[in-house]
Amino acid sequence: MQEQERKQKFCTDSGIEIKRVYNKVKVDDEQPGEFPFTRGVQETMYRSKLWTMRQYAGFSTAEESNKRYHYLLNNGTTGLSVAFDLPTQIGYDSSHEFADGEVGKAGVAIDSLRDMEILFDGIKLENITTSMTINSTASILLAMYIALAKKQGADLKKISGTIQNDILKEYAARGTYIYPPKPSMRIITDIFEYCSKEVPKWNTISISGYHIREAGSTAVQELAFTLANGKAYLKAAIEKGLDINVFAKRLSFFFNAHNNLFEEVAKFRAARRMWATITKELGATDAKAQMLRFHTQTGGSTLTAQQPHNNIPRVTIQALSAVLGGTQSLHTNGYDEAIALPTEEAARIALRTQQIIAYESGVVDTVDPLAGSYFVEALTNEVEAAAWEYINKIDAMGGSVSAIEQGYLQNEIAASAYKYQNEIQSGEKIIVGVNKFMVEEKPMENVFSIDDSIRQLQIDKINKVKAERDNEKVKAILKDLETSARGTVNLMPTILEAAENYATLGEIADLMRGVFGEYTG
């Protein structure tokens, strides 16, 4: 006699029904490192080289963040990921009235090249990879990073890293945009063009599903909307006359990892297959231009302030899904991040989580270890089919830019977020420690926080920079930038010149605001 099951219907977080048992599924005789790369973008994957173990850090001043970077590097981090505060993300100097109360709070404040010099003091840029989570001001922060590399005497052909630079997901899910879509796309393709010649190892965009998921999307929506945005960037670059076989090699992706382990693995496997198809259809013939390489961060929205130590196993499951799914780099969240900025202890545990998976679990010893699983192969196919349905709808609307302007992506994400929250409130979805298995708790001690005195420190630095620089030269360069912005030439060389001469981030962003205007949604 068959026992009664716990639910009438079992589904993934995307609503894909899970069968009681999976029987044989047809699997193509595909090898890792071969088109369409379902099984991984390298033939040997982690048998040759482990993923880059990143820790996302940035808070308060450049001086304080620099201390954390040295701590992380000394504990085995192999790449840095920089978080910028909100004023930096939306193009305001710390001295601007709109920056009041936000300086150094959600990341590090960077107002000029001087802050970038302090941020990486004692760190050779040729020897590390740096990922910068920055979008509307990506061109300015990249220019400051390149300017610093030049001051260090680095070979620009060797420095490597990534700027997020994905403005479409800002319009759809996150909100730190400045300029309207068309000039924003122009700046992005200017970066593609400039870096392909001057900084060829730099990943010029990290097309981000992470923030789409954080805003409340499902795994399928995250995959579909991210790849649709990627398709829009490909088309914009092709229209600019760039060679897809050159610039597509420097595109990377940024995905979220949530708790439903098998759906997440299926999502990562499907993503590679779908992107290979998209790039090939748009003319890519070079295998490296068809490969989807991605960074993963564990799900910030899954972290709970209740029983925060429960976040350690959550992060472990999420990190494991990313590794089983073939990520190229990984950031693991600190268990206390739902409450405050991560303490050093939380950051160390998060890093150790990756190291234990890498060196103790054995999952890295073979490529694509879940391949051939009836369940995983079937789920990969179903996730892919559901994502193509969304992409086809977006294509019918004229592509991502048009779909965003019509509010389609935003509405779909909002509906999913609403449904998910209702399921938690009704108890249909259990979150351990939140709506089940609750306990009486004491407030966490030693919470890491930033005080408002940071703003004055940054204002003092800005005033000192302006007093010491050649202000007439800065004024002339900004005038040149205005002329370039009103024309069609590539903006990056002039932005770099402005950064090298200590123009502030706000000065450069405001100049472009004056030419391009601001997007109000």
Side-chain angles (χ1 to χ4, degrees):
M1 181 178 171
Q2 184 178 317
E3 291 188 34
Q4 185 174 349
E5 296 183 342
R6 291 181 294 108
K7 301 178 186 177
Q8 285 187 331
K9 187 177 180 181
F10 290 78
C11 293
T12 70
D13 291 340
S14 297
I16 295 170
E17 186 171 358
I18 301 171
K19 300 174 185 176
R20 181 171 58 85
V21 66
Y22 285 78
N23 294 316
K24 192 167 183 178
V25 176
K26 183 182 181 298
V27 180
D28 291 334
D29 186 20
E30 182 192 318
Q31 295 302 309
E34 295 179 2
F35 183 92
F37 312 106
T38 313
R39 304 195 62 191
V41 292
Q42 286 112 17
E43 184 180 350
T44 53
M45 287 298 288
Y46 307 136
R47 287 168 66 97
S48 298
K49 182 184 178 183
L50 294 171
W51 63 93
T52 301
M53 298 182 192
R54 297 189 182 280
Q55 286 303 104
Y56 186 49
F59 54 88
S60 182
T61 61
E63 289 88 345
E64 289 302 313
S65 294
N66 176 262
K67 291 176 187 175
R68 176 63 64 88
Y69 293 161
H70 281 285
Y71 171 83
L72 291 169
L73 290 167
N74 289 337
N75 275 275
T77 289
T78 53
L80 296 174
S81 293
V82 185
F84 298 97
D85 72 358
L86 191 57
T88 303
Q89 291 182 50
I90 55 178
Y92 292 119
D93 287 335
S94 298
S95 55
H96 196 286
E97 60 179 333
F98 290 170
D100 192 14
E102 294 294 339
V103 177
K105 291 288 178 72
V108 62
I110 299 293
D111 291 308
S112 73
L113 175 58
R114 181 63 190 136
D115 286 318
M116 193 69 81
E117 292 166 353
I118 296 167
L119 186 65
F120 291 100
D121 185 39
I123 300 170
K124 288 290 184 184
L125 301 190
E126 265 193 35
N127 298 337
I128 60 162
T129 65
T130 304
S131 174
M132 297 191 281
T133 303
I134 195 72
N135 297 286
S136 57
T137 53
S139 60
I140 304 170
L141 271 299
L142 175 60
M144 290 180 182
Y145 192 88
I146 293 171
L148 175 58
K150 289 172 72 174
K151 287 193 74 172
Q152 288 186 355
D155 181 350
L156 296 188
K157 307 293 185 189
K158 292 181 180 178
I159 67 164
S160 62
T162 304
I163 42 171
Q164 191 166 106
N165 200 26
D166 175 6
I167 203 65
L168 292 180
K169 68 93 179 48
E170 295 295 327
Y171 300 124
R174 192 162 175 264
T176 63
Y177 46 74
I178 303 175
Y179 318 112
K182 286 185 179 177
S184 292
M185 293 294 275
R186 173 197 170 179
I187 294 168
I188 288 168
T189 54
D190 279 358
I191 293 170
F192 289 176
E193 183 180 48
Y194 177 83
C195 288
S196 68
K197 298 171 183 173
E198 305 297 332
V199 199
K201 292 184 72 175
W202 194 268
N203 297 318
T204 51
I205 192 168
S206 178
I207 303 160
S208 176
Y210 186 85
H211 299 101
I212 290 171
R213 192 71 174 278
E214 290 293 285
S217 81
T218 65
V220 165
Q221 288 171 335
E222 177 194 359
L223 174 58
F225 298 166
T226 305
L227 296 189
N229 288 347
K231 194 172 179 180
Y233 293 124
L234 290 177
K235 288 185 173 181
I238 290 167
E239 287 171 8
K240 191 180 178 70
L242 303 184
D243 183 350
I244 191 171
N245 284 312
V246 176
F247 76 82
K249 293 177 184 177
R250 303 322 310 169
L251 273 57
S252 67
F253 287 80
F254 176 23
F255 286 116
N256 211 311
H258 271 222
N259 293 326
N260 193 314
L261 187 142
F262 291 109
E263 183 174 43
E264 295 301 298
V265 173
K267 178 187 74 180
F268 299 134
R269 297 176 87 246
R272 281 191 292 271
R273 193 156 72 199
M274 294 174 73
W275 186 245
T277 300
I278 289 168
T279 52
K280 187 175 182 180
E281 287 178 351
L282 289 174
T285 54
D286 189 316
K288 290 190 180 297
Q290 298 168 340
M291 291 178 181
L292 182 145
R293 296 166 299 112
F294 67 100
H295 170 69
T296 312
Q297 182 175 339
T298 55
S301 62
T302 70
L303 301 176
T304 64
Q306 301 92 330
Q307 300 179 46
H309 287 96
N310 292 346
N311 294 324
I312 297 174
R314 285 188 183 106
V315 168
T316 303
I317 291 167
Q318 294 164 10
L320 183 60
S321 78
V323 173
L324 291 171
T327 194
Q328 276 62 66
S329 72
L330 177 60
H331 163 77
T332 32
N333 291 328
Y335 68 83
D336 54 0
E337 286 189 53
I339 299 167
L341 290 166
T343 59
E344 285 193 352
E345 178 197 45
R348 185 177 65 250
I349 290 170
L351 177 58
R352 295 290 181 256
T353 300
Q354 293 197 49
Q355 292 166 335
I356 288 167
I357 292 172
Y359 296 107
E360 298 184 27
S361 72
V363 300
V364 299
D365 294 342
T366 189
V367 180
D368 195 19
L370 293 181
S373 157
Y374 299 157
F375 179 37
V376 170
E377 294 291 357
L379 195 53
T380 300
N381 293 340
E382 291 190 70
V383 166
E384 179 182 9
W388 279 125
E389 283 188 30
Y390 271 116
I391 291 175
N392 291 336
K393 286 180 187 176
I394 292 167
D395 284 345
M397 293 179 188
S400 274
V401 174
S402 178
I404 289 166
E405 289 173 342
Q406 294 175 50
Y408 175 70
L409 272 63
Q410 300 93 311
N411 291 338
E412 288 293 308
I413 294 167
S416 292
Y418 180 73
K419 180 176 180 290
Y420 185 82
Q421 194 58 41
N422 279 344
E423 288 172 350
I424 293 172
Q425 290 179 346
S426 69
E428 182 182 345
K429 185 164 191 63
I430 293 170
I431 306 297
V432 174
V434 175
N435 63 356
K436 198 166 185 178
F437 313 114
M438 290 88 81
V439 295
E440 289 290 328
E441 295 181 84
K442 294 179 181 178
M444 270 191 73
E445 298 178 355
N446 302 318
V447 172
F448 189 17
S449 61
I450 304 296
D451 66 64
D452 289 326
S453 65
I454 296 301
R455 185 177 183 232
Q456 189 56 52
L457 293 174
Q458 286 300 116
I459 291 171
D460 292 344
K461 278 198 282 185
I462 291 170
N463 291 337
K464 189 170 187 292
V465 162
K466 288 183 176 180
E468 293 174 350
R469 73 187 186 185
D470 185 336
N471 284 295
E472 287 303 311
K473 187 173 184 180
V474 169
K475 186 177 178 181
I477 295 167
L478 291 175
K479 184 66 178 173
D480 289 344
L481 180 59
E482 181 181 7
T483 301
S484 297
R486 294 191 186 282
T488 58
V489 300
N490 193 303
L491 298 175
M492 277 302 297
T494 315
I495 293 173
L496 175 58
E497 187 182 7
E500 287 179 308
N501 285 277
Y502 294 88
T504 68
L505 173 131
E507 288 173 327
I508 298 169
D510 279 346
L511 184 284
M512 292 194 286
R513 272 189 183 93
V515 176
F516 300 138
E518 289 191 77
Y519 185 69
T520 55

